[in-house]
């Protein structure tokens, strides 16, 4: 680490934190069920639509045999949990979802 960060900078940044919800998706036991490809395509369409609507701020599919993806959502944890419970892959048992409260800072973004 070459950047020096002062205590004042940390406090100032912490004061700008905004609440978000983190949806953590893991592959479930029905990942390879009959019709899984079509269900996963509907899941992808839904997640990209939620991103386009601003409900998902950051969408990160994960290339893993255990983790399916992560989404930072702009809604409360209760609303995020309800949204994710209605997901086609979650309903089919292909994925399991945990939703956790988290915080982010103005200006945070993935590099282009």
């Amino acid at each position: 680490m070459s950047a020096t960060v002062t205590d004042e900078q940390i406090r100032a940044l912490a004061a700008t934190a905004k609440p978000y919800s983190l949806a953590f998706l893991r592959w479930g036991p029905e990942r390879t069920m009959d019709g899984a490809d079509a269900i996963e395509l509907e899941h992808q369409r839904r997640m990209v639509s939620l991103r386009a609507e601003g409900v998902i701020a950051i969408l990160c599919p994960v290339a893993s045999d255990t983790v399916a993806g992560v989404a930072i959502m702009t809604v409360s944890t209760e609303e995020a949990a309800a949204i994710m419970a209605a997901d086609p892959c979650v309903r089919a048992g292909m994925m399991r979802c945990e939703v956790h409260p988290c915080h982010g800072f103005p200006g945070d973004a993935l590099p282009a």
Side-chain angles (χ1 to χ4, degrees):
M1 283 189 331
S2 59
T4 302
V5 178
T6 67
D7 293 350
E8 292 78 24
Q9 288 172 309
I10 293 170
R11 282 191 282 279
L13 183 61
T16 68
K18 288 184 58 181
Y20 294 94
S21 297
L22 181 140
F24 186 76
L25 290 160
R26 293 182 189 270
W27 289 112
E30 301 298 327
R31 179 180 183 186
T32 58
M33 66 186 280
D34 288 341
D37 289 344
I39 295 168
E40 188 172 349
L41 184 59
E42 286 308 307
H43 155 80
Q44 292 167 348
R45 186 179 331 280
R46 186 171 185 270
M47 296 297 279
V48 171
S49 293
L50 290 167
R51 181 178 172 266
E53 294 168 5
V55 174
I56 293 177
I58 298 177
L59 180 59
C60 296
V62 176
S64 166
D65 289 335
T66 56
V67 178
V70 174
I72 305 296
M73 302 179 75
T74 60
V75 296
S76 70
T77 54
E78 294 80 13
E79 189 174 350
I83 289 168
M84 295 312 300
D87 181 85
C89 282
V90 173
R91 284 193 340 252
M94 292 174 55
M95 292 180 186
R96 287 177 281 203
C97 183
E98 299 173 13
V99 176
H100 302 277
C102 65
H103 288 86
F105 305 101
D108 281 358
L110 295 173

